[in-house]
Amino acid sequence: VPGSSEPPTTPSSEPPTSPTTGVLTTPIVNVVMNDQQLQLQWTESFASSYRVLYWAEGEAPQEATTNDLTYIFSTLNTDAYTAIIEAYDDLGNSLFSAPISVEVQ
């Protein structure tokens, strides 16, 4: 309608400055295998960051840090991998997921 003006719409919520909005909880991990890649997915744990520890049977652990709730790594010619997710907050508290093992097919 001519003469009427709506105020400009702005996003109703700003992105949070920190992903933590609750009490730190233990992550629960699920593994999906796709084309020689393992995708680890875990539940929201109200952590400021996550450390992913994974290793092939008989090898030294590898590690990565992420703020996401997923992590993908390529598998080699190995039969089994084990992974643990560590959720930690800004105060230095941390909780580890139960180890999850996956057989590479």
Side-chain angles (χ1 to χ4, degrees):
V1 175
S4 69
S5 64
E6 296 274 327
T9 57
T10 57
S12 60
S13 63
E14 292 291 318
T17 57
S18 170
T20 57
T21 57
V23 176
L24 189 65
T25 60
T26 302
I28 299 170
V29 184
N30 184 41
V31 177
V32 178
M33 173 108 185
N34 292 320
D35 299 327
Q36 295 301 304
Q37 288 185 330
L38 289 176
Q39 178 176 356
L40 303 173
Q41 303 169 331
W42 54 91
T43 56
E44 171 62 66
S45 299
F46 305 108
S48 58
S49 195
Y50 298 92
R51 185 168 66 135
V52 179
L53 297 164
Y54 61 95
W55 60 92
E57 204 167 288
E59 294 185 6
Q62 309 249 351
E63 72 175 81
T65 303
T66 181
N67 292 325
D68 296 327
L69 297 176
T70 62
Y71 182 77
I72 297 172
F73 62 92
S74 296
T75 61
L76 302 174
N77 297 325
T78 305
D79 294 333
Y81 280 88
T82 302
I84 297 174
I85 306 301
E86 178 187 15
Y88 56 94
D89 63 17
D90 291 331
L91 300 175
N93 301 310
S94 69
L95 293 171
F96 290 89
S97 70
I100 189 162
S101 295
V102 61
E103 293 288 326
V104 176
Q105 301 293 325

